[in-house]
Amino acid sequence: MWFENTVKNMNNTKHSAAYTPHDASSREESTMQRVNVGLARRYRRERLFRYCGLGAIIASIGFLLLLFISITANGWTAFIQTEILLDIKFSAEHFDVDNLSAANYGALVKSSMRQLFPDVKNRREKRKLYKLVSSGAVYRLQKMVMKDTGIIGTTQAVWLPADDEVDMFAKGRVDRDLAENNRRLNDKQIHWIDTLSATGRLKKKFNTTFFTAGDSREPELAGIRGATAGSLFTLAVTLFLSFPIGVATAVYLEEFAPKNKWTDLVEVNINNLAAVPSIVFGLLGLAFFLNILGMPRSAPLVGGLVLTLMTLPTIIIASRASLKSVPPSIKEAALGVGASKMQAITHHILPLALPGMMTGTIIGMAQALGETAPLLMIGMVAFIVDVPGSVTDPATVLPVQIYLWADSPERAFVERTSAAIMVLLAFLISMNAIAVFLRRKFERRW
Amino acid sequence: MVTMAAPAATARTARTDNKVDREDRSTVGHQFVDNARMTCRDVNVYYGEKHAIKNVSIDVGRNEVLAMIGPSGCGKSTFLRCLNRMNDTVDTCRVYGEIRLDELDIYDKSVDVVPLRAQVGMVFQKPNPFPKSIYENVAYGPKIHGLSANRTELDHIVESSLKKAGLWTEVNDRLDQPGTGLSGGQQQRLCIARAIAVRPEVILMDEPCSALDPIATATVEDLIAELQEQYTIVIVTHNMQQAARVSQRTAYFHLGDLIEVGKTDRVFTNPRHKLTEDYITGRFG
Ligand SMILES: Nc1ncnc2c1ncn2[C@@H]1O[C@H](COP(=O)(O)OP(=O)(O)OP(=O)(O)O)[C@@H](O)[C@H]1O
Ligand SMILES: [Mg+2]
């Protein structure tokens, strides 16, 4: 055989001294020797590749850890809020029974502060003193009275949120050794704070406001509920539109569309769309949905539409790939027993492709959840205090909220920014967990 | 090595006999029968530029088993797949000519492939069970065609189909297990059961026994003999003993050409074409 001859010739040139023709054992030996020489090199390459892969994984885990640690270190304090215990005297003269909300709750807080520090007489100092309590304290009192009018006429010990500067100081984020005019709190205020905490009137409590309130100019009153609700509404719109449209498009292109120049063109353009910068979709949304169709500004509905445009290519590409990966023999089997094309697709191909489609969709959704730029263009960057109740209410979303807070000068917003990032990450992680769960559930390994 | 046949061939041409020469690619033998179930006339199949079936004309008789033999890649599967339009699923594939099932031109634009494939069933070369349970695999066809009125009837169809395919005793205690978890030979029989569960009138079998042991092969051959009483069967096989055992007529394909057709015993004992003779005497392929 020519093959053996070439091997012989090769052996002859290399090991001419050791090689004796027609001697089978020596030929075998030399083959084994060659294999062994090559073997060491092959295994070395494999080992090298394994180490490279391991190194890459360690590096990426390291960066991830760095991200998590720095964000957590910055942000965990935002889940805690300093509160001040005041004895509020709900004296009846302040309240008009028919109009409880109009009462001067600020006066109640101020008088109880004066009682705590009776030696503060100067008007300017008094103002400094009042500043220790958050301006949001009045809403808490108002709520208390509205809930139970029975407390009018009594004196109650009430925990009220401290001002963000006090909060920062209590959390040790303000250096008390700094020169007085370099801090937002003066020496007097620090002295009062020390007195309060010495008498047990200063306490750090879990910050429920952060999860129940919308945005606010005051860090201690600001929360992510509005942004979270906005994100959820936006994502709901996106999912509701992009999943069915994306899957239908993929199925049509993969199973029904004739393969010709036009479908090639469509395919190229879908791939192009996936690479278009997201802000372009925002501009499109602004021009089309807002200006031409006259849809409401800042609404999750429009945000969802824009993000649908953005995620559709991702979903279509992933869905097509997973449709392609279904073995054609399955389809033939179905067609062979007389299933119609649609039956073959819905009974056999789609169930097998669904896990891959869902993975693509979740990746698209995760992208959409973290998207900021296109939403800025359609006005979802506005300062919105109210928590949106529907897809047409003005809203903002988590990443935009992060952007807004990161842009705010107050120190207390720094930790809230990090905390919001933590919440966003938690969302992403749970979405991915859901993706894994769904995939496990629907995946049939047989 | 395919080229090995060449020297032997030149040696044999010197002998003078009445066999058709190797270079002649027109069909010899009895291509046509009276009262045929399927008639194929001048069928040409192309995969893109590749001419896979060249001018094939042949009839498949009623209640007949037609065996198709030939070297690998000669177009047996391609031709078989034309008979129930399975080639429609291959984008590059174009079929020319006329194929009739009784009087119906199956490549006519007005023909619905769904009832056609219910009528002309197929067992594929590679076992391709659905990634579903054994029960669902067999029940799928009857279900989509509405062949059973209720669950008991369906159970009955599943059981009798599996019995006919010789698989029942092996799987009757695990019908809810995945069909893909069976061994290769079991999967092949599962696919046979799935095809006959629809009770097609013509059954196309592409090497149904290629992965089966002699016992299972015997079961399938018995099944073919039994089915033949009611149905028409076209079977592709590489096993010439099997072709001789189960079929009445045999067709020999060579590189896309239909070389010879005839009564099975005649083709095997007295082939008229040199290529056929080379193949069945083991000088080719
Ligand atoms: N989908 C396809 N696309 C392109 N060419 C194809 C395709 N299917 C088959 N062919 C070609 O058509 C020819 C006939 O193939 P076919 O599968 O019909 O052979 P066969 O006789 O069934 O062989 P085997 O006995 O190995 O199954 C081969 O040359 C093959 O390469
Ligand atoms: Mg084949």
Side-chain angles (χ1 to χ4, degrees):
Chain A
M1 296 267 116
W2 64 268
F3 170 71
E4 283 172 39
N5 281 334
T6 20
V7 174
K8 268 186 220 158
N9 291 341
M10 276 167 23
N11 287 346
N12 271 335
T13 48
K14 283 217 167 163
H15 313 276
S16 43
Y19 181 71
T20 38
H22 311 299
D23 184 349
S25 72
S26 99
R27 190 166 72 222
E28 252 167 42
E29 206 179 84
S30 78
T31 312
M32 277 319 293
Q33 274 168 5
R34 288 166 141 264
V35 168
N36 285 334
V37 169
L39 218 53
R41 202 178 58 234
R42 294 201 301 230
Y43 284 139
R44 203 163 51 238
R45 282 212 187 128
E46 189 180 316
R47 248 194 332 269
L48 199 69
F49 184 79
R50 248 197 331 233
Y51 290 144
C52 284
L54 207 65
I57 285 185
I58 289 172
S60 53
I61 286 180
F63 283 124
L64 253 178
L65 274 183
L66 200 70
L67 176 82
F68 279 133
I69 290 170
S70 77
I71 286 174
T72 317
N74 255 324
W76 72 272
T77 45
F79 298 122
I80 298 167
Q81 166 68 36
T82 311
E83 298 198 347
I84 297 174
L85 182 66
L86 291 181
D87 301 319
I88 305 285
K89 203 159 128 205
F90 294 94
S91 44
E93 76 237 34
H94 280 292
F95 294 96
D96 172 4
V97 195
D98 301 321
N99 197 356
L100 289 173
S101 54
N104 187 355
Y105 294 97
L108 299 183
V109 177
K110 285 174 188 169
S111 73
S112 91
M113 288 295 275
R114 276 198 307 272
Q115 253 175 22
L116 275 179
F117 298 101
D119 45 336
V120 180
K121 294 277 189 275
N122 182 320
R123 270 182 67 123
R124 270 181 52 197
E125 280 194 0
K126 271 189 200 164
R127 244 201 327 264
K128 288 271 181 214
L129 178 64
Y130 300 154
K131 271 229 172 122
L132 295 185
V133 178
S134 161
S135 56
V138 296
Y139 301 113
R140 199 176 280 191
L141 293 181
Q142 189 182 343
K143 236 186 251 164
M144 278 179 70
V145 175
M146 306 275 256
K147 214 166 95 188
D148 177 16
T149 45
I151 60 173
I152 295 175
T154 63
T155 302
Q156 305 271 339
V158 187
W159 285 102
L160 292 173
D163 186 67
D164 56 315
E165 291 301 332
V166 179
D167 186 40
M168 285 294 104
F169 180 80
K171 286 171 181 169
R173 293 199 188 259
V174 177
D175 185 3
R176 66 165 72 213
D177 300 328
L178 228 57
E180 189 174 9
N181 45 4
N182 283 348
R183 326 185 208 103
R184 304 279 298 257
L185 295 172
N186 63 21
D187 290 343
K188 271 264 170 53
Q189 284 175 307
I190 288 180
H191 171 70
W192 293 329
I193 293 171
D194 288 341
T195 320
L196 280 173
S197 75
T199 51
R201 286 183 174 273
L202 204 69
K203 221 184 203 167
K204 290 188 212 128
K205 296 193 158 189
F206 181 71
N207 187 1
T208 46
T209 314
F210 186 71
F211 295 100
T212 55
D215 198 7
S216 169
R217 295 282 181 225
E218 304 296 331
E220 73 272 14
L221 302 180
I224 53 160
R225 172 98 179 270
T228 310
S231 271
L232 288 180
F233 280 128
T234 310
L235 277 190
V237 173
T238 311
L239 181 67
F240 189 72
L241 290 174
S242 62
F243 185 64
I245 297 178
V247 169
T249 310
V251 169
Y252 177 77
L253 285 177
E254 211 45 55
E255 304 289 344
F256 290 102
K259 302 273 176 290
N260 57 26
K261 262 187 285 182
W262 291 110
T263 40
D264 284 350
L265 193 74
V266 169
E267 170 152 20
V268 168
N269 277 308
I270 288 173
N271 292 344
N272 280 343
L273 274 185
V276 166
S278 55
I279 193 145
V280 176
F281 290 112
L283 284 168
L284 177 75
L286 175 63
F288 185 70
F289 296 127
L290 296 190
N291 292 349
I292 295 181
L293 296 187
M295 288 181 166
R297 224 158 238 287
S298 310
L301 177 65
V302 184
L305 286 169
V306 168
L307 292 181
T308 300
L309 294 178
M310 202 197 75
T311 48
L312 258 182
T314 314
I315 295 180
I316 293 174
I317 291 170
S319 301
R320 289 189 69 178
S322 66
L323 282 172
K324 270 203 190 95
S325 69
V326 176
S329 64
I330 299 290
K331 184 170 143 196
E332 291 201 328
L335 295 178
V337 291
S340 68
K341 210 164 182 182
M342 204 60 216
Q343 283 173 325
I345 291 168
T346 52
H347 296 165
H348 300 287
I349 299 176
L350 269 188
L352 291 175
L354 210 57
M357 289 176 165
M358 283 194 293
T359 311
T361 307
I362 302 257
I363 290 173
M365 287 297 120
Q367 248 175 26
L369 177 63
E371 201 51 71
T372 327
L375 301 181
L376 302 185
M377 301 314 301
I378 55 156
M380 291 191 87
V381 70
F383 173 72
I384 293 150
V385 176
D386 293 325
V387 175
S390 79
V391 290
T392 46
D393 288 348
T396 184
V397 293
L398 274 173
V400 175
Q401 187 70 75
I402 290 168
Y403 163 74
L404 285 171
W405 283 350
D407 221 23
S408 302
E410 286 88 349
R411 282 189 68 102
F413 272 128
V414 174
E415 61 174 32
R416 276 168 177 76
T417 306
S418 293
I421 293 173
M422 283 159 75
V423 172
L424 186 66
L425 285 177
F427 261 95
L428 283 176
I429 291 170
S430 44
M431 273 174 76
N432 286 332
I434 292 172
V436 171
F437 171 76
L438 286 178
R439 208 162 53 216
R440 288 270 162 78
K441 186 151 183 246
F442 287 101
E443 193 161 56
R444 269 177 272 190
R445 291 205 173 276
W446 20 301
Chain B
M1 260 178 227
V2 180
T3 48
M4 290 308 292
T10 30
R12 284 182 57 84
T13 35
R15 221 184 74 190
T16 51
D17 50 19
N18 56 356
K19 305 256 167 200
V20 178
D21 190 79
R22 288 188 182 81
E23 305 310 317
D24 189 350
R25 296 296 159 88
S26 56
T27 312
V28 297
H30 298 96
Q31 290 155 269
F32 308 121
V33 298
D34 294 335
N35 191 18
R37 190 75 224 249
M38 297 195 82
T39 54
C40 312
R41 293 292 177 271
D42 302 320
V43 177
N44 280 283
V45 182
Y46 295 84
Y47 290 110
E49 290 301 298
K50 186 178 165 58
H51 199 171
I53 293 289
K54 301 167 189 164
N55 257 322
V56 169
S57 297
I58 190 173
D59 284 349
V60 186
R62 238 162 258 279
N63 299 355
E64 166 184 89
V65 178
L66 172 70
M68 303 208 299
I69 57 172
S72 190
C74 66
K76 304 178 298 292
S77 299
T78 303
F79 186 71
L80 198 70
R81 291 161 57 94
C82 291
L83 299 180
N84 70 345
R85 290 187 56 176
M86 271 324 284
N87 278 335
D88 289 13
T89 59
V90 181
D91 290 322
T92 55
C93 183
R94 286 163 297 136
V95 179
Y96 302 98
E98 191 187 81
I99 300 178
R100 285 180 184 275
L101 174 65
D102 297 325
E103 282 316 303
L104 178 77
D105 179 358
I106 64 168
Y107 277 89
D108 194 77
K109 284 219 157 43
S110 64
V111 168
D112 186 352
V113 292
V114 170
L116 171 72
R117 287 177 189 148
Q119 220 175 339
V120 184
M122 180 147 200
V123 178
F124 293 86
Q125 183 165 1
K126 272 179 275 175
N128 54 354
F130 299 128
K132 294 183 192 288
S133 72
I134 293 171
Y135 183 92
E136 279 175 85
N137 261 284
V138 183
Y140 182 68
K143 249 193 223 162
I144 56 172
H145 295 302
L147 299 184
S148 58
N150 51 41
R151 178 81 190 196
T152 17
E153 261 182 64
L154 193 61
D155 288 347
H156 183 72
I157 294 177
V158 170
E159 180 177 339
S160 69
S161 305
L162 284 170
K163 272 184 181 154
K164 283 181 189 165
L167 193 59
W168 177 251
T169 48
E170 284 157 73
V171 300
N172 62 10
D173 54 342
R174 48 170 175 153
L175 289 178
D176 53 345
Q177 302 277 306
T180 38
L182 297 173
S183 79
Q186 288 174 325
Q187 289 187 14
Q188 213 164 28
R189 281 176 284 158
L190 179 62
C191 293
I192 294 174
R194 181 178 65 192
I196 60 178
V198 185
R199 268 174 280 157
E201 294 161 27
V202 180
I203 304 176
L204 312 174
M205 295 182 159
D206 201 344
E207 297 181 35
C209 302
S210 60
L212 298 190
D213 63 55
I215 299 167
T217 304
T219 316
V220 172
E221 288 178 7
D222 289 347
L223 169 70
I224 292 172
E226 183 196 327
L227 291 172
Q228 187 196 349
E229 289 163 17
Q230 290 174 49
Y231 309 128
T232 302
I233 296 167
V234 184
I235 178 170
V236 173
T237 177
H238 280 294
N239 180 335
M240 267 163 296
Q241 287 79 21
Q242 178 172 58
R245 279 195 300 267
V246 301
S247 71
Q248 283 81 57
R249 284 166 77 230
T250 297
Y252 171 68
F253 283 76
H254 183 93
L255 296 178
D257 290 297
L258 176 58
I259 300 296
E260 181 159 357
V261 194
K263 291 251 179 292
T264 297
D265 39 359
R266 207 268 300 143
V267 171
F268 281 109
T269 52
N270 183 21
R272 297 221 187 118
H273 201 292
K274 288 248 173 65
L275 287 170
T276 319
E277 187 181 37
D278 290 347
Y279 183 71
I280 60 177
T281 52
R283 240 173 264 118
F284 190 99

